């Protein structure tokens, strides 16, 4: 079942209820919705586990079996028959201190309670009940969680709308798309300068990196797990037969999806528990990422609450958490752009000179976290590519001389609206070896109108063609070498050799090496000039802050 307009309208209606009811923070609202989705889905998961145990002739204890010690005696409702969503009746008997755990089925409390009694029961009992369940899981999604939607009318309306979504009848892709629609409401930057990455940009980067089944895939600044979800979808599509591939419309654009029917049982199991890894510094982001992955059918992927710039993990700790000892095959990330870390807190492994800029420290961390031959696709602010500080130059030197920088994709200015107008590019590199030649790719359009919201689909889209040029970069290199240097170069891609990069302080800005006719030199695109000026201004500001 695809994501329907009615489901989108229901999410928009929930957003409007929350905003109108005095809950204006979209991140907190998304977090609260993720809890309600989880409460709804556990009942169906319990039924599936029970049926599986019956088929395998194994014992199974339902989380809804037995009694619950009340946290608040006011929740000891008198015995009554409450009809669940399937039409059956559940007798709810209670004493002053306990109630049957059956009361925690969504189909009972969400249908039978409203107003003040709903707020009290969810706040005092439901959150505590599911936190207890979380303690026995691989990672506790509910750790520290609490109800913040405490206005009775608003909570009642939101619960009714969530119930109307019928999540139990939706497949994993639909549930994931629904949650992505929730996440789209987050239109603010985090305290460290982290932004929600446009999903079409993520898909382009993943397509270019091309992660394979069996490879370990890591995002050290996972946010809501957009890169990990896209890598999972990419792997499933690559391992699907023609009859198992469908096309769905997302954000006004068609997107191909695969069921992954060619994956073996062992490969499916590995995808769920031994392939994807991530961290984030924000507990809310960890919860949102966990829910995003759970809805996609990846409930056992662990997103750690961790700041990789200020903490380290030794071999024993990595082994305890099931992390790869020799580094990752693939790293995909959009780390925080404009944050600063206290110099005394930065761990030695990620230091680059005296810089405290998160975008530089994260890049150093990712270089060190790859296994030999591992590959990385990371979004960076333009200043990383041409910054003149010692840390900027040293990091680029390490990239070029100790790794193979394969490409730099220059993204259009404004691609991160409405969060920020900062100009960005994507670095693609492999660990080890040395750089001989870099492919530069320049996108003027990304398929969406580059206005304040950046969400209106348009026809102009350079990303698919540039992704294809990257895939076929060997033949593109031959074409570049054989070109007539006196003729105007009409492609949106070009190359620069390592010797040229070294002579330019290892500058990796695409516009620096763009071949131009005399007319182009005299009349450069004003938008391109403005993007460069904005990046320079950002660098100057960062240096002033550091001083």
């Amino acid at each position: 079942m695809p994501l329907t307009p009615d489901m989108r309208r229901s999410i928009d209606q929930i957003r409007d209820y929350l905003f109108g009811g005095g809950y204006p923070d979209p991140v907190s609202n998304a977090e609260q919705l993720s809890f309600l989705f989880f409460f709804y889905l556990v009942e169906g998961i319990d039924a599936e586990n029970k049926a599986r145990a019956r088929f395998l002739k194994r014992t199974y204890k339902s989380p809804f079996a037995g009694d619950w010690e009340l946290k608040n005696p006011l929740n000891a409702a008198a015995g009554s028959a409450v009809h669940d969503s399937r039409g059956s009746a559940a007798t709810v008997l209670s004493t002053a201190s306990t109630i049957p755990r059956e009361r925690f089925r969504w189909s009972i409390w969400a249908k039978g309670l409203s107003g003040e009694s709903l707020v009290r029961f969810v706040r005092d009992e439901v959150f505590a009940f599911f936190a207890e369940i979380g303690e026995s899981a691989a990672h506790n999604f509910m750790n520290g969680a609490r109800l913040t939607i405490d206005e009775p009318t608003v909570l009642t309306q939101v619960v009714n709308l969530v119930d109307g979504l019928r999540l139990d009848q939706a497949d994993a892709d639909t549930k994931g798309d629904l949650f992505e629609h929730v996440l789209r409401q987050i239109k603010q930057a985090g305290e460290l300068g982290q932004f929600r990455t446009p999903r079409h940009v993520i898909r382009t980067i993943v397509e270019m990196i091309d992660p394979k089944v069996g490879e370990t895939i890591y995002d050290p600044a996972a946010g809501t797990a957009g890169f990990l979800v896209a890598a999972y979808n990419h792997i499933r599509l690559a391992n699907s037969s023609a009859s198992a591939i469908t096309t769905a419309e997302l954000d006004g654009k068609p997107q191909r999806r695969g069921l992954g029917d060619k994956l073996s049982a062992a490969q499916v199991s590995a995808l769920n528990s031994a392939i994807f890894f991530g961290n984030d510094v924000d507990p809310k982001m960890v919860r949102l990422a966990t829910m995003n992955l759970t809805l996609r059918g990846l409930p056992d992927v662990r997103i750690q609450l961790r700041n990789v710039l200020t903490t380290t993990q030794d071999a024993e700790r990595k082994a305890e958490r099931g992390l790869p000892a020799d580094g990752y095959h693939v790293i995909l990330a959009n780390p925080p752009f404009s944050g600063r870390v206290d110099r005394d807190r930065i761990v030695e492994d990620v230091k680059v000179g005296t810089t405290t800029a998160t975008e530089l420290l994260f890049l150093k961390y990712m270089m060190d976290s790859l296994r030999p031959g591992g590959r990385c696709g990371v979004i960076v602010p333009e200043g990383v590519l041409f910054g003149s500080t010692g840390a900027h130059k040293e990091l680029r030197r390490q990239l070029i001389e100790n790794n193979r920088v394969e490409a730099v994709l220059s993204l259009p200015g404004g691609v991160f609206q409405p969060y920020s107008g900062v100009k960005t590019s994507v670095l693609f590199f492999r660990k080890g070896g040395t750089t001989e030649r870099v492919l530069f790719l320049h996108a003027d359009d990304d398929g969406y109108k580059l206005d304040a919201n950046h969400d209106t689909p348009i026809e102009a889209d350079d990303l698919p063609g540039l992704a294809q040029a990257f895939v076929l970069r060997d033949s593109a290199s031959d074409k570049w070498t054989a070109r007539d240097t006196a003729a105007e170069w009409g492609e949106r891609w070009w190359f620069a050799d390592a010797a040229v990069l070294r002579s330019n302080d290892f500058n990796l800005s695409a516009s620096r090496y763009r071949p131009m006719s005399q007319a182009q030199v005299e009349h450069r695109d004003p938008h391109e000039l403005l993007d460069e000026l904005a990046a320079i201004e950002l660098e100057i500001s960062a240096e002033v802050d550091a001083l």
Side-chain angles (χ1 to χ4, degrees), residues 140-153:
N140 190 354
F141 168 69
M142 295 294 298
N143 184 35
R146 64 185 183 88
L147 178 70
T148 60
I149 308 173
D150 52 6
E151 204 290 317
T153 302

Side-chain angles (χ1 to χ4, degrees), residues 455-519:
D455 58 3
T456 303
I458 60 174
E459 287 296 323
D461 188 358
D462 298 326
L463 295 181
L466 294 176
Q468 187 67 9
F470 176 81
V471 172
L472 302 175
R473 57 191 177 278
D474 289 341
S475 59
S477 179
D478 293 340
K479 181 178 178 181
W480 171 260
T481 301
R483 77 192 187 285
D484 180 357
T485 56
E488 184 169 337
W489 181 255
E491 303 288 353
R492 296 186 181 275
W493 53 263
W494 51 91
F495 287 86
D497 294 332
V500 176
L501 301 175
R502 290 189 185 94
S503 67
N504 284 275
D505 283 333
F506 304 102
N507 190 310
L508 285 170
S509 178
S511 60
R512 180 71 169 239
Y513 308 103
R514 186 172 192 170
M516 296 183 181
S517 66
Q518 187 59 39

Side-chain angles (χ1 to χ4, degrees), residues 367 390-403 405 434-435 502 505-508:
M367 290 162 59
H392 283 85
K393 293 179 182 179
E394 172 59 19
L395 194 62
R396 293 198 301 268
R397 185 196 67 78
Q398 292 181 25
L399 264 174
I400 291 169
E401 296 194 341
N402 302 332
N403 301 274
V405 178
T434 187
T435 302
R502 290 189 185 94
D505 283 333
F506 304 102
N507 190 310
L508 285 170

Side-chain angles (χ1 to χ4, degrees), residues 99-152:
I99 59 172
R101 295 172 74 95
E102 282 285 314
R103 281 280 308 271
F104 292 96
R105 292 183 181 275
W106 174 279
S107 58
I108 294 179
W109 63 263
K111 295 284 189 180
L113 297 175
S114 61
E116 293 281 0
S117 60
L118 175 65
V119 170
R120 186 174 60 245
F121 188 72
V122 174
R123 180 192 64 213
D124 299 337
E125 313 298 342
V126 173
F127 270 73
F129 175 83
F130 285 101
E132 180 188 276
I133 292 177
E135 289 175 358
S136 61
H139 49 281
N140 190 354
F141 168 69
M142 295 294 298
N143 184 35
R146 64 185 183 88
L147 178 70
T148 60
I149 308 173
D150 52 6
E151 204 290 317

